[in-house]
């Protein structure tokens, strides 16, 4: 499971992610699997149309310890080493038939990953504008969930073991962006004992439940935690109250990390072991409070990327995803 190389005291991971500023990026000597940029939709070349809130802009940089090979197929650009593949799709939203687009993207994603020899989905990110926009009584997020579930029907049927961790968050304009990490080997799916598994949410949240796991332990032992919010059971808690939503979210993150430690032999600790976090905030004015509170509970070296974004349920004010270091 965990592969530490004792001579170097450096974990020998199949991949890693760092949120780096321009100076750190310039000093980087590693193979790059992929990069994700975040900026307002007005910025040319932006991948995800979300404004960053912390002082220095960061680039989400996926790294490989070994050289990578690149390719493209079915609308995805990808890069892989011998163990993992990183793939990214970015295209204008098809506002006429969003569901057909999402279903096609997910079928392509699955096919691209399989054809390249990486059939195990570990982690997926989904960003698109107007997430709350309703048509015929269904908002775009619920349509997204229906289309994703249709494309991943086989995975949904074996939901306990095969679903990837995920995030699905609303951008402010821009493209539909879907990117993912897939492995030659399967990861291990983890759920949160405080929450109903998303794939079992009752129909009030949409005609098809969201197809994702609360976290994945990657084959090399890394814990990849899905977007996590102030939800207990299946209900949103603390409507309108950012401090309370934050504490509930932290409790959920602790619970997922604890469940992952219980389900594997890996010594995951707690919040202090989160190393990379993306914090999605609905309102820019909550940044100061959230950043100050997170500084109290996180490791000083934790990398935090704050994004102004629309969370998929209108009452949720924040959502946090993270990667946990292995001891
Ligand atoms: C939740 O727990 C909050 O649909 O892929 C978090 C992570 C959420 C992933 C997804 C949705 C997704 O239901 C929302």
């Amino acid at each position: 499971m965990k592969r530490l190389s004792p001579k170097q005291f450096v974990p020998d991971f199949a991949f890693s992610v760092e949120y780096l500023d321009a100076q750190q990026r310039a000093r980087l000597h590693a193979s790059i699997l992929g990069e994700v940029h975040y900026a307002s939709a007005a910025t040319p070349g932006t991948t995800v149309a979300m404004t960053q809130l912390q002082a220095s802009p960061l680039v989400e940089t996926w790294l490989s310890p070994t050289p990578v090979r690149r390719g493209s197929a079915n609308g995805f650009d990808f890069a892989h080493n011998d163990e993992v593949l990183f793939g990214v799709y970015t295209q204008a939203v098809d506002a006429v038939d969003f569901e057909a687009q999402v279903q096609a993207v997910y079928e392509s994603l699955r096919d691209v990953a399989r054809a390249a020899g990486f059939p195990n989905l570990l982690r997926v990110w989904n960003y698109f504008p107007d997430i709350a926009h309703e048509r015929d009584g269904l908002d775009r997020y619920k349509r997204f969930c229906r289309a994703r579930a249709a494309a991943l029907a086989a995975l949904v049927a074996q939901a306990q073991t095969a679903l990837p961790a995920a995030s699905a968050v609303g951008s402010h304009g821009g493209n539909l962006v879907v990117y993912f990490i897939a492995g030659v080997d399967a990861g291990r799916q983890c759920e949160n004992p405080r929450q109903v598994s998303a794939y079992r949410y009752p129909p009030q949240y949409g005609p098809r439940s969201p197809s994702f796991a609360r976290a994945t332990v990657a084959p090399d032992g890394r814990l990849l935690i899905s977007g996590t919010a102030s939800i207990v059971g299946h209900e949103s808690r603390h409507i309108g109250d950012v401090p309370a939503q934050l504490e509930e979210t932290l409790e959920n993150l602790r619970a997922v990390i604890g469940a992952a430690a219980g389900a594997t032999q890996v010594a995951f600790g707690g919040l202090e072991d989160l190393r990379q976090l993306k914090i999605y905030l609905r309102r820019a004015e909550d940044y100061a409070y959230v950043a100050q509170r997170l500084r109290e509970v996180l490791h000083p070296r934790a990398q935090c990327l704050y994004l102004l974004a629309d969370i998929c349920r209108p009452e949720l004010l924040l959502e946090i995803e993270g990667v946990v270091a292995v001891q």
Side-chain angles (χ1 to χ4, degrees):
M1 223 27 205
K2 184 172 63 163
R3 300 172 312 155
L4 295 175
S5 50
K7 283 183 204 115
Q8 305 161 39
F9 300 101
V10 174
D12 174 25
F13 291 120
F15 64 94
S16 57
V17 63
E18 303 274 348
Y19 303 155
L20 303 174
D21 66 24
Q23 280 190 341
Q24 294 164 325
R25 283 274 294 93
R27 287 198 303 264
L28 198 65
H29 297 286
S31 301
I32 293 181
L33 280 163
E35 287 185 334
V36 187
H37 296 258
Y38 301 86
S40 78
T43 310
T46 291
T47 305
V48 179
M50 289 182 183
T51 300
Q52 300 193 33
L53 295 167
Q54 76 287 341
S56 15
L58 302 172
V59 177
E60 178 178 333
T61 312
W62 288 88
L63 303 168
S64 167
T66 52
V68 302
R69 287 195 194 172
R70 292 176 202 287
S72 55
N74 298 34
F76 279 84
D77 291 325
F78 60 82
H80 67 84
N81 56 27
D82 291 340
E83 290 164 277
V84 296
L85 176 138
F86 175 96
V88 60
Y89 167 98
T90 172
Q91 283 292 322
V93 167
D94 180 344
V96 177
D97 201 344
F98 181 61
E99 285 187 67
Q101 180 183 27
V102 169
Q103 190 167 337
V105 169
Y106 265 83
E107 283 164 1
S108 296
L109 184 162
R110 194 195 54 201
D111 295 347
V112 165
R114 274 188 197 152
F118 302 82
N120 301 289
L121 286 184
L122 303 175
R123 181 69 170 94
V124 185
W125 288 261
N126 308 278
Y127 299 114
F128 49 89
D130 302 316
I131 194 166
H133 181 260
E134 275 197 22
R135 225 168 117 172
D136 302 326
L138 272 193
D139 71 28
R140 198 175 259 179
Y141 175 65
K142 291 175 178 149
R143 292 174 183 282
F144 167 81
C145 287
R146 180 159 68 184
R148 173 176 57 178
L152 297 182
L155 296 188
V156 174
Q158 9 157 3
Q160 310 278 9
T161 54
L163 284 175
S167 300
V169 189
S171 54
H172 291 166
N175 285 343
L176 168 63
V177 179
V178 177
Y179 66 95
F180 69 97
I181 298 277
V184 170
D185 298 322
R188 186 169 182 134
Q189 183 173 337
C190 302
E191 293 300 314
N192 179 347
R194 304 183 79 237
Q195 298 183 311
V196 173
S197 291
Y199 54 83
R200 294 210 177 105
Y201 279 172
Q204 72 201 78
Y205 300 101
R208 296 293 302 268
S209 305
S211 320
F212 73 97
R214 297 298 179 186
T216 304
V217 181
D220 66 6
R222 199 77 50 87
L223 179 62
L224 308 168
I225 305 181
S226 292
T228 303
S230 177
I231 295 174
V232 180
H234 54 75
E235 290 174 343
S236 304
R237 292 281 170 93
H238 317 295
I239 311 302
D241 183 343
V242 159
Q245 286 199 13
L246 178 55
E247 297 310 313
E248 200 72 75
T249 300
L250 293 175
E251 210 45 49
N252 278 330
L253 290 168
R254 283 189 196 97
V256 176
I257 296 170
T264 64
Q265 301 312 310
V266 182
F268 298 117
L271 296 178
E272 66 283 1
D273 296 316
L274 279 163
R275 280 298 176 276
Q276 287 80 25
L277 300 97
K278 276 151 72 184
I279 302 110
Y280 304 96
L281 298 180
R282 185 180 295 280
R283 310 183 305 208
E285 63 263 34
D286 296 326
Y287 167 69
Y289 174 81
V290 173
Q292 168 264 318
R293 176 66 184 127
L294 287 183
R295 269 193 297 275
E296 293 171 7
V297 298
L298 298 177
H299 192 278
R301 285 212 311 272
Q303 299 170 350
C304 292
L305 174 44
Y306 286 88
L307 297 161
L308 185 61
D310 289 338
I311 321 300
C312 61
R313 294 188 189 183
E315 69 279 11
L316 292 173
L317 299 172
L318 59 90
E319 180 174 317
I320 300 177
E321 62 177 62
V323 180
V324 179
V326 179
Q327 305 305 299

